[in-house]
Amino acid sequence: ALPKRGKVIGVNTALLSPSGAFAGVGFALPIDLVRSVVSQLLEGGKVQRAVLGAVLAPDRTARMLGIDAGLLVLQVVPGSPAAKAGIRPTVRDEFGRPVLGDIILGVNSKAVTQSSDFYRVVNKLGVGDEVDLEVLRKNSREMIPLTLASSKAIEDQINEARMLLLRRENMELEIEVPDMEG
């Protein structure tokens, strides 16, 4: 994508065209992301993404739970930077009621109201970079420092955590669905 001055601002990746012609809605990667990927490929031949090691609730889910700003931590990947820093996940109490985990309000002094804000900051950071997370824990705000890890280093644990979360959600859906046949 080129603006009037000829500076590259993104790289087109897809085009949604109802007619099949070269007209429609274009999708592009921001140039900062492209620069990061290209420099990593040139330096080491592979791309490493920096991660916290936490599974975050989709924005819509957080809003339905009454969280107007910030990101709700659903799960923390064992052995990840989030686990080592003591980030708290959402759990259920002895009666099965959800107990909300930490809510990420900011990263490196930048406010985070939705997931795009969070990823905009984290995607500019690298493996080994230190970040300060501002979290809401119960009713108090806390600053939690942590060091980002490579997604490759904890990839298996991340996938296992996601699968566990999906299984747990499916079990809850099965339990909550009334029997319409009887």
Side-chain angles (χ1 to χ4, degrees):
L2 294 171
K4 289 181 183 179
R5 286 188 243 145
K7 277 179 71 175
V8 176
I9 58 171
V11 175
N12 290 339
T13 58
L15 177 68
L16 176 63
S17 174
S19 67
F22 293 105
V25 178
F27 298 91
L29 295 173
I31 195 62
D32 291 341
L33 178 59
V34 173
R35 280 190 187 120
S36 170
V37 168
V38 169
S39 69
Q40 286 185 54
L41 287 172
L42 291 173
E43 288 174 18
K46 61 183 176 179
V47 177
Q48 293 188 45
R49 305 306 269 153
V51 295
L52 297 176
V55 178
L56 305 173
D59 294 336
R60 183 175 178 193
T61 301
R63 301 308 168 255
M64 289 185 339
L65 291 169
I67 300 167
D68 296 326
L71 303 175
L72 174 63
V73 176
L74 291 179
Q75 199 163 1
V76 174
V77 176
S80 69
K84 292 173 185 171
I87 300 294
R88 295 186 184 164
T90 298
V91 295
R92 293 203 176 264
D93 67 13
E94 63 271 13
F95 302 107
R97 297 175 299 210
V99 177
L100 299 183
D102 288 340
I103 299 169
I104 300 172
L105 301 173
V107 180
N108 289 346
S109 302
K110 293 185 175 73
V112 170
T113 57
Q114 58 190 6
S115 58
S116 60
D117 299 333
F118 175 78
Y119 292 113
R120 191 173 299 117
V121 174
V122 174
N123 284 341
K124 291 179 182 175
L125 300 171
V127 173
D129 285 350
E130 295 197 12
V131 297
D132 289 315
L133 293 181
E134 180 183 0
V135 301
L136 180 62
R137 180 172 289 166
K138 301 212 184 241
N139 289 324
S140 66
R141 290 176 182 243
E142 296 185 26
M143 293 300 287
I144 300 177
L146 61 81
T147 303
L148 298 174
S150 166
S151 60
K152 295 286 186 204
I154 60 171
E155 186 172 30
D156 290 340
Q157 294 96 321
I158 291 171
N159 289 334
E160 188 176 314
R162 286 184 177 143
M163 291 307 295
L164 181 65
L165 187 63
L166 286 173
R167 273 188 251 121
R168 189 173 76 196
E169 286 178 1
N170 285 337
M171 285 182 0
E172 289 171 9
L173 288 175
E174 289 172 15
I175 291 169
E176 294 175 8
V177 175
D179 182 15
M180 302 302 260
E181 293 177 13

